[in-house]
């Protein structure tokens, strides 16, 4: 699964303009043997888990589905095996109302079962026979009725552009909302779907149609039996779709769009074949399903979902204007498409036994997608983007309340809590570290051993570690146990001893004002160093608190960089002497390492290990760097000062500093894209517009945004899509009621999902308080659906002056918000005040924690946000004077080389 469409909790990065929004997804992993035994023991006694005494072998699902109605009927036929005598057993059904339940033995003797809902929240249903039954094989038949969901989960209905559609989202435990089933990942069985729908509509599932019959304005389609898969990977779509073939695949494939949007599928058609071919080449195992359909969904909780043979995407990700597709959207589509396709092997072909290992499922797909996208589309520089997300996980991993990446999950756990940076990005950071340590060829060989041994089955992380150990000959589980089983990130320090040996030490990294707490790892450190222009590489397995390492020639190194290619999951700190050497030669580092150096410097500042003057001196020292990703990091580092340190009295000095640092970069790359320029300048130009166009009000940027906005409103097809989001947002920030009315009218007729999304975010960008209030009120109307309306709120929360309005709106309209939004989104409402002043934050925090409004997931998010607030206060107390002094005395002269 790909994360939610907009970001969750905002992160404090002194040096980051990362802003709140709504996004996220899932994770887990087994470390040592004792932990695995404990997990299995806990699983065995969990009273809310389904047992194995009676379990499914295969399931047929028959449904009559009409998107114009609000309810449906169906029947399931489930082949069961009872391993011992029984009188009752349990399955899942959360919503379906049973009208009949019958159990038939191989001799044809039928037993009517009584159904009892034994746990409403989890949809646990107990089926009971009137007398004990013997062990053996049976067929269970259940007839039922149900209503379509309307929150984007389960089998749900949505209306888009006047057409009604049905879609499914079953991960994590929403299949039970559609029909009775064994809704746990370990029950991996064959499925066969037979769906009766209006004859004018298309119907798609995981497998290809095997038989179609028509009668009385309906058609009944029986689909082929699937290979073994868990309930959460079944998918259904019904509606007036356009079907776009994808040539060049080894199996039949289509991009499926809502009616009238087939022309927007061109980029998806182009990306799919080479990415799938790269994955088949890496795994050396053919794509395991009989087709590959990919569908654009107009109301979708997540970014995408890896349903076997039938991947679902939010429409604004999969569809884009073919005439001028923006670089950032193309890069994101390639990344998410590769992520979901990678799941066809890791997650679908081989499936986690239980949700504890979801982190490994997601982190591997994220790790894998970066590998194949980097190979196929090097211009996307996806490895640097991947590194940035791992750095973001490190920032979360530094919070006091953080949990291990592998978290014990019960049947009653709120699995939404697993949708965070640790699940995706700490996990892939760990995999990155393993590959860098044992080498790419051994890593790939281990993956092949793993898949050949476990295909079509279920595994735990121990099985993967065993494959790594078998191929590499190294104790991978022992090396990684602390990274997996314990929270936190190591801080590795380096200094030269008087005898020339390298002193390497470790402790747990902690932000300023927080207790570091215990922590010791086996850290696989890979450092690079240069002497006389010749590069060297050294591996160090840091097992102890402090180790002395003898590396011939290192004492005379020109510079040392202690995290080669940002592959290690650790923070690092050089002694003053070594830091001085590196600072003077930083240009020799690769772009990914220069970006990593800036991020690590930001982390050291957050930890109080360097002061504000030194931190900003480091940032400004990169002012002449011409790499677009390094320049974007500079923009983020400068933007990150705003909410922590800038007061009304220092705002003018801050804006002057920002303009002095960033306007020359925009002048260098150009206010508008030039023909033939490198495509990766697009994200940098967007970041510069965003930094210079709002509070700074750069006249040229604002004028250009107004021109682009007017062009878009007059003829959307001719407007530059690469600057659309930022241009509309800046035009709104400086706009009046006339602009607001024009945006509202344009939203009603938007022709592409990207344009619709840009307009929704722009409506939340008006700086005028009255217009901000109008936008928030409008978001609750039917004009915006359940998965997009909070975009207005989170866009507004990016403006420091509008956060108070957003908080007041939440408190005044909470029942309406809770009725409209998916529960995962409600649990993240605290992000609207995550970067607000303490009093505003506390007011929303107290409100959301009240009985009836809170959940465990909401509590987790509020706690994290509160810890970031605390860090912000500690940094203000320690560094406010230093930051303001630097800004006031800065004269706009970028240091020379």
């Amino acid at each position: 699964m790909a994360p939610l469409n907009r970001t969750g909790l905002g992160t404090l990065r002194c040096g980051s303009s990362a802003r709140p929004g709504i996004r996220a997804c899932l994770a887990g992993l087994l470390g040592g043997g004792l932990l695995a035994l404990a997990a299995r023991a806990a699983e065995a006694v969990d009273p809310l888990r389904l047992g194995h005494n009676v379990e499914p072998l295969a399931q047929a699902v028959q449904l009559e589905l009409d998107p114009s109605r609000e309810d449906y009927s169906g029947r399931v036929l489930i082949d069961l095996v009872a391993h011992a005598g029984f009188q009752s057993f349990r399955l899942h059904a959360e919503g379906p109302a049973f009208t009949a339940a019958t159990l038939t033995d191989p001799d044809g003797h039928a037993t009517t079962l009584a159904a009892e809902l034994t746990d409403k929240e989890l949809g646990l249903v107990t089926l009971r026979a009137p007398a004990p039954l013997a062990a053996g094989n049976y067929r269970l038949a259940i007839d039922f009725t149900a209503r379509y969901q309307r929150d984007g989960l389960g089998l749900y209905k949505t209306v888009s552009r006047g057409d009604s559609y049905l879609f499914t989202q079953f991960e994590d435990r929403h299949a039970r909302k559609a029909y009775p089933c064994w809704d746990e990942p370990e029950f991996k069985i064959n499925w066969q779907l037979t769906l009766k729908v209006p004859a004018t509509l298309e119907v798609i599932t995981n497998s290809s149609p095997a038989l179609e019959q028509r009668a009385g304005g309906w058609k009944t389609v029986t689909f082929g039996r699937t290979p073994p898969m868990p309930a959460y990977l079944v998918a259904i779509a019904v509606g007036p779709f356009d079907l776009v073939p994808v040539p060049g695949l080894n199996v039949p494939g289509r991009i499926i769009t809502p009616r009238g949007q087939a022309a927007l599928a061109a980029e998806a058609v182009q990306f799919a074949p080479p990415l799938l071919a790269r994955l088949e080449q890496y795994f050396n195992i053919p794509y395991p399903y009989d087709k590959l359909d990919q569908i654009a969904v107009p109301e979708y909780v997540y970014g995408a979902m890896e349903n076997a043979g039938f991947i679902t995407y939010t429409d604004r990700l999969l569809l884009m204007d073919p005439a001028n597709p923006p670089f950032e959207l193309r890069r994101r589509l390639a990344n998410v498409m590769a992520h979901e396709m990678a799941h066809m092997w890791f997650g679908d072909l081989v499936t986690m036994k239980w949700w504890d290992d979801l982190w490994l499922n997601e982190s591997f797909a994220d790790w894998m997608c970066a590998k194949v996208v980097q190979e196929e589309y090097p211009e996307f520089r996806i490895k640097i983007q991947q590194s940035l997300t791992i750095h973001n996980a490190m920032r979360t991993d530094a919070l006091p309340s953080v949990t291990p990446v592998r978290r014990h999950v019960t049947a009653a756990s709120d699995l939404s809590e697993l949708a965070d940076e640790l699940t995706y990005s700490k996990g892939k950071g760990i995999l990155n570290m393993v590959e860098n340590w044992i080498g790419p060829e051994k890593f790939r060989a281990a993956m092949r051993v793993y898949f050949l041994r476990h295909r079509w089955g279920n595994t735990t992380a121990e099985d993967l570690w065993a494959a790594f150990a078998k191929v590499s000959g190294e104790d991978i589980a022992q090396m990684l146990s602390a990274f997996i089983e314990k929270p936190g990130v190591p801080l590795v320090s380096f200094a030269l001893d008087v005898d020339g040996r390298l002193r390497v030490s470790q402790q747990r990294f902690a932000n300023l004002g927080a207790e570091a707490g215990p922590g010791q790892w086996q850290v696989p450190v890979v450092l690079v160093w240069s002497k006389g222009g010749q590069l060297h590489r050294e591996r160090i397995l840091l097992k102890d608190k402090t180790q002395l390492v003898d590396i011939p020639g290192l004492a005379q190194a020109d510079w040392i960089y202690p995290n080669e290619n940002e592959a290690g999951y650790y923070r690092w700190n050089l002694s003053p002497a070594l830091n001085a050497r590196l600072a003077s030669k930083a240009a020799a580092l690769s772009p990914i390492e220069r970006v990593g150096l800036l991020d690590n410097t930001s982390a050291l500042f957050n930890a109080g290990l360097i002061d504000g003057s030194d931190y900003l001196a480091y940032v400004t020292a990169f002012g002449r760097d011409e790499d677009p990703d390094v320049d974007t990091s500079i923009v983020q580092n400068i933007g990150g000062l705003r909410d922590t340190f800038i007061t009304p009295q220092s705002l003018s000095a801050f804006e002057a500093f920002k303009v002095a640092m960033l306007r020359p970069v925009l002048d260098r790359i150009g206010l508008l894209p030039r023909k033939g320029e490198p495509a990766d300048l697009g994200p940098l130009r967007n970041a510069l517009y965003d930094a210079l166009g709002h509070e700074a009000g750069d006249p040229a940027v604002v004028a250009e945004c107004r021109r682009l906005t007017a062009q878009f409103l007059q003829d959307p097809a001719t407007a530059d899509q690469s600057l659309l989001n930022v241009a509309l947002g800046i035009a709104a920030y400086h706009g009046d009621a006339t602009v607001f009315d024009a945006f509202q009218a344009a939203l009603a007729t938007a022709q592409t999902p990207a344009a619709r999304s840009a307009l929704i975010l722009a409506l939340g960008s008006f700086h005028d308080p009255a217009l901000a209030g109008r936008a928030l009120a409008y978001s609750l109307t039917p004009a915006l659906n359940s998965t997009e309306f909070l975009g207005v709120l989170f866009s507004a929360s990016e403006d420091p002056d509008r956060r108070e309005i957003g908080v007041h709106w939440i408190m005044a309209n909470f029942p309406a918000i809770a009725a409209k939004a998916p529960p995962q989104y409600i649990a993240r409402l605290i992000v609207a005040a995550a970067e607000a002043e303490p009093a505003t934050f506390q007011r929303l925090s107290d409100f959301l924690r009240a009985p009836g409004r809170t959940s465990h997931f909401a509590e987790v998010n509020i706690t994290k946000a509160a810890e970031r607030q605390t860090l912000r206060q500690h940094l203000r107390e320690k560094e406010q004077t230093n930051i303001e002094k630097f800004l006031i005395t800065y004269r706009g002269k970028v240091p020379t080389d």
Side-chain angles (χ1 to χ4, degrees):
M1 192 194 307
L4 301 181
N5 300 318
R6 286 182 56 80
T7 319
L9 291 172
T11 51
L12 174 67
R13 176 188 181 195
C14 274
S16 171
S17 57
R19 304 189 178 191
I22 254 198
R23 221 197 205 184
C25 241
L26 300 166
L29 180 81
L30 281 170
L34 290 176
L35 180 67
L37 290 172
R40 284 195 290 271
E43 171 191 321
V45 300
D46 186 345
L48 298 178
R49 290 278 298 276
L50 298 178
H52 288 269
N53 184 39
V54 177
E55 58 184 344
L57 300 174
Q59 178 160 343
V61 179
Q62 302 168 2
L63 302 175
E64 183 175 303
L65 303 175
D66 183 350
S68 70
R69 298 180 58 185
E70 297 302 322
D71 54 11
Y72 63 100
S73 60
R75 187 178 216 222
V76 296
L77 299 172
I78 308 174
D79 292 330
L80 304 176
V81 60
H83 299 291
F86 69 102
Q87 188 170 354
S88 67
F89 59 93
R90 297 185 302 178
L91 49 61
H92 291 115
E94 183 186 351
F98 292 15
T99 55
T102 305
L103 197 63
T104 304
D105 67 20
D107 295 326
H109 299 302
T111 301
T112 299
L113 304 178
E116 178 189 359
L117 182 62
T118 50
D119 190 291
K120 182 178 181 180
E121 184 177 350
L122 295 179
L124 272 177
V125 174
T126 298
L127 294 176
R128 190 175 304 277
L133 297 170
N137 292 91
Y138 294 86
R139 169 161 284 192
L140 172 64
I142 301 174
D143 296 308
F144 64 94
T145 60
R147 292 184 65 81
Y148 300 123
Q149 304 290 312
R150 296 304 295 263
D151 62 357
L153 300 171
L155 172 56
Y156 67 96
K157 174 179 175 176
T158 186
V159 178
S160 177
R161 295 157 65 97
D163 291 322
S164 295
Y165 296 89
L166 301 177
F167 297 102
T168 56
Q169 172 56 42
F170 286 167
E171 191 180 24
D172 44 75
R173 53 189 185 209
H174 304 296
R176 66 192 71 178
K177 296 177 179 178
Y179 42 72
C181 60
W182 270 253
D183 196 9
E184 293 181 5
E186 188 175 0
F187 297 106
K188 197 169 181 182
I189 61 174
N190 305 106
W191 296 79
Q192 186 162 43
L193 276 62
T194 300
L195 304 179
K196 182 179 180 181
V197 303
T200 57
L201 301 181
E202 302 289 345
V203 56
I204 304 102
T205 72
N206 305 82
S207 55
S208 300
L211 175 67
E212 180 177 316
Q213 298 171 302
R214 292 178 178 249
W218 292 77
K219 64 182 178 183
T220 300
V221 183
T222 299
F223 293 86
R225 185 178 292 267
T226 72
M229 64 188 195
Y232 81 85
L233 291 177
V234 178
I236 299 167
V238 181
F241 297 112
D242 289 347
L243 309 176
V244 183
V246 179
L249 299 172
N250 291 335
V251 295
R254 300 171 295 184
I255 304 299
I256 300 162
T257 78
R259 187 189 344 236
Q261 297 189 302
L264 305 179
E267 288 297 314
V269 170
Q270 180 184 28
F271 281 142
L275 290 175
L276 188 65
R278 289 278 183 184
L279 288 164
E280 289 184 309
Q281 181 184 32
Y282 183 86
F283 292 122
N284 199 22
I285 296 172
Y287 172 76
Y289 301 99
D290 73 345
K291 69 176 181 69
L292 178 57
D293 283 335
Q294 301 179 84
I295 189 168
V297 182
E299 185 173 8
Y300 199 49
V301 172
Y302 297 106
M305 177 64 206
E306 67 270 17
N307 310 301
F310 184 25
I311 302 171
T312 46
Y313 300 83
T314 180
D315 60 351
R316 55 186 171 272
L317 173 61
L318 191 67
L319 306 180
M320 63 189 82
D321 185 348
N324 186 19
F327 174 84
E328 287 178 279
L329 191 53
R330 292 182 67 243
R331 177 166 67 184
R332 175 153 170 74
L333 174 56
N335 192 55
V336 176
M337 185 176 281
H339 174 108
E340 302 306 332
M341 288 180 177
H343 273 310
M344 298 298 109
W345 287 265
F346 204 108
D348 294 8
L349 178 63
V350 179
T351 306
M352 63 199 163
K353 186 175 183 181
W354 182 240
W355 298 110
D356 285 4
D357 286 319
L358 184 55
W359 76 267
L360 184 59
N361 193 30
E362 295 298 342
S363 59
F364 180 85
D366 236 27
W367 176 87
M368 190 71 231
C369 73
K371 179 172 285 290
V372 298
V373 172
Q374 183 70 33
E375 291 172 351
E376 186 65 29
Y377 303 104
E379 68 273 18
F380 287 156
R381 308 182 82 186
I382 206 70
K383 280 290 188 181
I384 295 180
Q385 303 307 307
Q386 181 189 64
S387 178
L388 289 170
T389 62
I390 294 170
H391 294 157
N392 190 46
M394 290 184 187
R395 287 191 286 278
T396 296
D397 218 4
L399 298 175
S401 68
V402 72
T403 57
V405 65
R406 185 185 191 275
R407 285 157 271 190
H408 178 58
V409 175
T410 69
S413 297
D414 185 348
L415 297 184
S416 299
E417 295 175 31
L418 301 180
D420 65 6
E421 305 94 319
L422 301 184
T423 292
Y424 283 81
S425 297
K426 181 173 183 178
K428 73 183 172 190
I430 291 169
L431 294 173
N432 243 6
M433 193 161 57
V434 172
E435 186 196 37
N436 197 52
W437 186 256
I438 69 175
E441 290 309 313
K442 288 183 178 179
F443 189 99
R444 183 184 179 197
M447 295 307 307
R448 179 159 174 78
V449 168
Y450 173 80
F451 283 112
L452 291 176
R453 182 173 297 171
H454 301 291
R455 63 168 67 194
W456 304 120
N458 295 85
T459 66
T460 69
E462 280 185 315
D463 299 311
L464 181 56
W465 298 159
F468 282 137
K470 178 180 178 65
V471 170
S472 70
E474 302 198 41
D475 189 352
I476 298 298
Q478 179 67 22
M479 179 192 297
L480 296 180
S481 60
F483 285 96
I484 296 159
E485 298 166 21
K486 300 175 184 177
V489 56
L491 172 64
V492 182
S493 299
F494 300 83
L496 287 173
D497 253 21
V498 291
D499 61 2
R501 289 186 295 174
L502 185 66
R503 180 177 294 274
V504 189
S505 58
Q506 63 165 298
Q507 64 187 82
R508 182 172 173 178
F509 179 88
N511 287 321
L512 179 65
E515 292 291 333
Q520 186 168 336
W521 294 259
Q522 288 191 18
V523 187
V525 174
V526 182
L527 58 86
V528 288
W529 54 285
S530 175
K531 181 181 178 183
Q534 185 174 356
L535 288 177
H536 303 267
R537 181 179 189 265
E538 191 71 28
R539 293 197 329 161
I540 303 168
L541 184 58
L542 178 59
K543 296 182 178 181
D544 303 322
K545 285 289 187 182
T546 300
Q547 289 176 208
L548 286 172
V549 184
D550 189 5
I551 304 174
L554 183 71
Q556 294 78 43
D558 302 319
W559 54 265
I560 297 171
Y561 192 75
N563 191 4
E564 180 196 39
N565 289 323
E566 301 303 301
Y569 189 83
Y570 52 84
R571 295 298 190 185
W572 51 267
N573 192 18
L574 297 177
S575 68
L578 290 178
N579 186 62
R581 296 190 200 181
L582 178 62
S584 66
K585 301 292 184 181
L589 300 176
S590 66
I592 194 172
E593 290 167 343
R594 300 204 300 279
V595 171
L597 174 57
L598 280 166
D599 185 85
N600 193 74
T601 304
S602 171
L604 297 180
F605 175 58
N606 285 350
L609 298 175
I610 61 175
D611 67 25
S613 298
D614 288 341
Y615 166 61
L616 288 181
Y618 237 111
V619 172
T620 57
F622 280 86
R624 290 191 181 276
D625 199 304
E626 296 190 3
D627 184 89
D629 287 303
V630 176
D631 288 339
T632 301
S633 290
I634 294 170
V635 177
Q636 293 170 343
N637 275 268
I638 292 172
L641 300 174
R642 174 64 176 92
D643 291 314
T644 302
F645 300 109
I646 306 308
T647 65
Q649 293 74 30
S650 60
L651 183 59
S652 61
F654 170 66
E655 294 297 347
F657 168 71
K658 185 163 59 174
V659 170
M661 282 291 297
L662 303 182
R663 183 64 214 215
V665 182
L666 183 58
D667 291 340
R668 188 185 77 231
I669 69 171
L671 188 65
L672 289 173
R674 299 185 180 103
K675 186 177 180 179
E677 74 174 18
D680 57 13
L681 290 182
L684 172 58
R685 184 176 286 108
N686 271 272
L688 292 167
Y689 267 49
D690 188 55
L692 297 170
H694 288 90
E695 284 179 310
D698 182 287
V701 171
V702 173
E704 185 56 36
C705 289
R706 284 173 168 159
R707 185 192 68 80
L708 287 168
T709 296
Q711 183 179 0
F712 168 77
L713 293 173
Q714 182 177 0
D715 186 358
T718 64
D720 186 345
Q721 299 294 307
S722 68
L723 289 167
L724 182 61
N725 277 32
V726 69
L728 294 181
I730 291 171
Y733 184 89
H734 299 283
D736 57 16
T738 301
V739 177
F740 186 97
D741 293 341
F743 283 5
Q744 204 171 39
L747 180 61
T749 59
Q751 295 301 303
T752 69
R756 181 174 177 85
S757 178
L759 285 162
I760 290 169
L761 297 180
L763 284 173
S765 299
F766 282 87
H767 190 67
D768 182 308
L771 297 178
R774 278 185 63 188
L776 289 167
Y778 178 68
S779 73
L780 282 175
T781 70
L784 274 63
N785 70 39
S786 66
T787 61
E788 63 189 9
F789 81 101
L790 285 176
V792 175
L793 170 68
F794 292 113
S795 181
S797 72
E798 296 178 0
D799 184 342
D801 297 330
R802 298 286 77 87
R803 289 170 187 151
E804 187 70 37
I805 293 175
V807 168
H808 176 77
W809 178 78
I810 292 172
M811 296 171 68
N813 295 279
F814 185 83
I817 296 168
K820 185 170 184 175
Q824 295 94 325
Y825 290 19
I826 299 301
R828 295 185 176 90
L829 282 175
I830 190 62
V831 304
E835 296 180 16
E837 288 303 301
T840 301
F841 173 83
Q842 193 62 51
R843 188 161 63 258
L844 183 58
S845 173
D846 291 344
F847 176 83
L848 294 175
R849 279 180 157 148
R853 300 190 194 109
T854 192
S855 65
H856 190 266
F857 186 28
E859 289 289 336
V860 169
N861 289 334
I862 292 169
T863 298
K864 289 180 180 178
E867 289 169 349
R868 292 183 173 108
Q869 279 274 327
T870 299
L871 171 57
R872 187 173 293 115
Q873 295 308 308
H874 285 311
L875 286 170
R876 278 181 179 173
E877 292 167 9
K878 180 177 181 289
E879 296 293 346
Q880 183 98 32
T881 301
N882 286 331
I883 296 293
E884 289 183 352
K885 182 179 178 181
F886 187 97
L887 296 177
I888 292 169
T889 58
Y890 185 76
R891 294 291 180 265
K893 294 181 179 179
V894 177
T896 57
D897 296 332

